[in-house]
Amino acid sequence: MSSLMMALILALLAADVWEYREGLGFVNRETNERKTPKEFYEFGLKLARSRQTEDAVAVFDLILRHVTDDELVEASRFRKGETLWSGSRFGLAYSELDEFLRLYPESSLAQRAKQLEMDSAYLIAQDGTGGGIFGDLFKSPKQGLELLRASLQRFPREPFSGFYYYKMARLLAGERQFDQAENELKFVLTEYKETTEAARAILLLGDIGLLRFDSIRYDIRGLADARRNFERFLTESEELSKISKEAAEFVKEKIPYAKEKLSFVYETLAEKDYVTAEYYRDRGHYRSAKIYYQSILRSFPQTTWAAQSKKRLEEIGP
């Protein structure tokens, strides 16, 4: 169901009580109460604040259908989209906010509309539904990602654009679309390197590396990527903390996490080398085995495998 069709349905809800009469304004059929367009707009805001989403949207829609005051029409169109967003009607909210931005690209409300549009798309992608009724139910996670990407491509320089690029990468990683997620994170590190999202991106790249890793007996490319990014996070932590107070708080909070993950990476890489060393030792290829035992002592001295490697070297002798 189209956004226009949904809007007409919602408008009918209000039409049961309120209607517009030329020269009189908005009139309540049951009580004959009258409201000027401005008063009716304030009435819509009150309904929205009390979370009466459908009624509030219907009020704003009636204003859009009957009022010609440019300022009031602009405000009502924005509030309609905002109300749909706050009422979790994310599919409809995206459509309404997109239309608002098409009609009023220079509005003082445009930046807020862009943020709500991106957030609506993100929440569709996250939940797999527009969150509402009728047309909203036909939104999918894939559609949400497409909408979010479209919004970011149109509005890449907003204060919150990097944040939504990062959130898109998290969604892609959650869907195990690792290559796409990594591409988005690398874009964040290039285009938004002076934001908190740069620190978040490095850490998430490390997590994706671990997600790629299956076990020590298989491809360790993911572990190598994880090691590089967790080490980078720790090495650059001081510089990342200078970006902003928010970045400093994030880095401080996540340093123990990065160290814990890096410790796991070291243990796993050392284990893989130890398994290889044992393979050579069991077959009497002691020189080859010693190369791996010594590599463990040199590269991963704090791991549990280092102590076992030292013991094996003592057993083999010079």
Side-chain angles (χ1 to χ4, degrees):
M1 182 177 294
S2 69
S3 175
L4 176 60
M5 182 68 71
M6 184 62 195
L8 290 174
I9 291 174
L10 292 176
L12 290 175
L13 298 175
D16 289 338
V17 178
W18 291 93
E19 65 180 6
Y20 181 78
R21 296 180 188 174
E22 193 67 37
L24 296 177
F26 294 94
V27 180
N28 186 304
R29 288 182 176 182
E30 297 179 353
T31 65
N32 286 321
E33 178 186 3
R34 299 180 187 179
K35 291 184 183 294
T36 65
K38 179 64 174 177
E39 290 171 339
F40 200 54
Y41 171 78
E42 295 295 334
F43 175 58
L45 291 180
K46 182 179 180 180
L47 290 171
R49 286 192 292 268
S50 63
R51 310 291 290 182
Q52 298 180 57
T53 301
E54 282 78 13
D55 290 339
V57 169
V59 166
F60 296 132
D61 194 66
L62 279 174
I63 293 173
L64 293 173
R65 291 168 61 195
H66 297 290
V67 175
T68 58
D69 179 274
D70 291 341
E71 185 176 337
L72 195 57
V73 168
E74 178 183 337
S76 295
R77 190 169 292 280
F78 171 77
R79 296 304 174 190
K80 181 179 179 182
E82 180 186 54
T83 300
L84 286 165
W85 171 82
S86 65
S88 300
R89 283 27 172 206
F90 303 123
L92 292 170
Y94 186 97
S95 297
E96 292 295 336
L97 292 163
D98 199 54
E99 179 69 3
F100 173 84
L101 289 167
R102 185 185 70 81
L103 294 172
Y104 307 103
E106 303 301 323
S107 171
S108 61
L109 297 169
Q111 187 176 89
R112 178 60 174 163
K114 293 171 187 176
Q115 184 176 16
L116 295 181
E117 179 181 291
M118 290 181 192
D119 200 63
S120 296
Y122 167 74
L123 290 167
I124 293 169
Q126 182 183 52
D127 299 335
T129 173
I133 57 177
F134 301 113
D136 270 354
L137 291 178
F138 296 95
K139 300 294 183 183
S140 69
K142 182 179 179 181
Q143 287 175 303
L145 281 171
E146 291 172 352
L147 292 173
L148 181 54
R149 184 173 284 108
S151 293
L152 286 167
Q153 288 173 347
R154 291 200 310 274
F155 313 119
R157 296 301 173 192
E158 301 304 320
F160 39 80
S161 297
F163 175 68
Y164 283 102
Y165 266 112
Y166 168 77
K167 297 190 82 167
M168 181 166 62
R170 285 193 65 88
L171 289 175
L172 290 167
E175 294 295 320
R176 303 189 72 80
Q177 299 180 47
F178 299 134
D179 289 341
Q180 291 185 46
E182 287 177 341
N183 287 337
E184 301 299 348
L185 293 171
K186 290 173 183 176
F187 182 78
V188 169
L189 289 171
T190 300
E191 300 296 328
Y192 307 102
K193 58 186 177 182
E194 298 300 325
T195 69
T196 305
E197 276 56 64
R200 297 181 190 277
I202 295 170
L203 202 63
L204 183 53
L205 282 168
D207 286 333
I208 290 174
L210 290 181
L211 289 171
R212 283 185 182 276
F213 176 67
D214 291 319
S215 79
I216 63 166
R217 297 185 183 278
Y218 296 98
D219 184 12
I220 64 167
R221 182 170 71 95
L223 278 182
D225 290 343
R227 177 182 182 177
R228 182 174 64 255
N229 285 292
F230 287 130
E231 286 179 342
R232 179 182 179 183
F233 182 83
L234 295 172
T235 301
E236 298 181 12
S237 60
E238 185 175 345
E239 287 301 312
L240 292 169
S241 297
K242 294 177 182 178
I243 292 173
S244 66
K245 181 180 179 181
E246 179 188 25
E249 291 174 351
F250 174 80
V251 170
K252 181 179 179 180
E253 177 189 352
K254 293 300 182 179
I255 281 177
Y257 174 84
K259 288 181 176 179
E260 177 188 347
K261 294 301 180 181
L262 196 54
S263 177
F264 168 79
V265 170
Y266 289 157
E267 284 285 337
T268 308
L269 289 171
E271 181 182 5
K272 185 172 182 64
D273 280 354
Y274 188 83
V275 168
T276 303
E278 291 288 277
Y279 171 86
Y280 286 122
R281 174 184 171 276
D282 291 344
R283 285 158 181 76
H285 302 305
Y286 298 115
R287 181 178 297 180
S288 296
K290 287 175 66 175
I291 292 174
Y292 282 93
Y293 291 133
Q294 290 168 347
S295 175
I296 292 170
L297 290 174
R298 183 172 58 254
S299 301
F300 311 110
Q302 303 303 319
T303 65
T304 56
W305 303 103
Q308 296 184 52
S309 296
K310 183 178 180 181
K311 181 179 178 181
R312 287 300 195 201
L313 286 170
E314 291 172 351
E315 291 173 355
I316 294 173

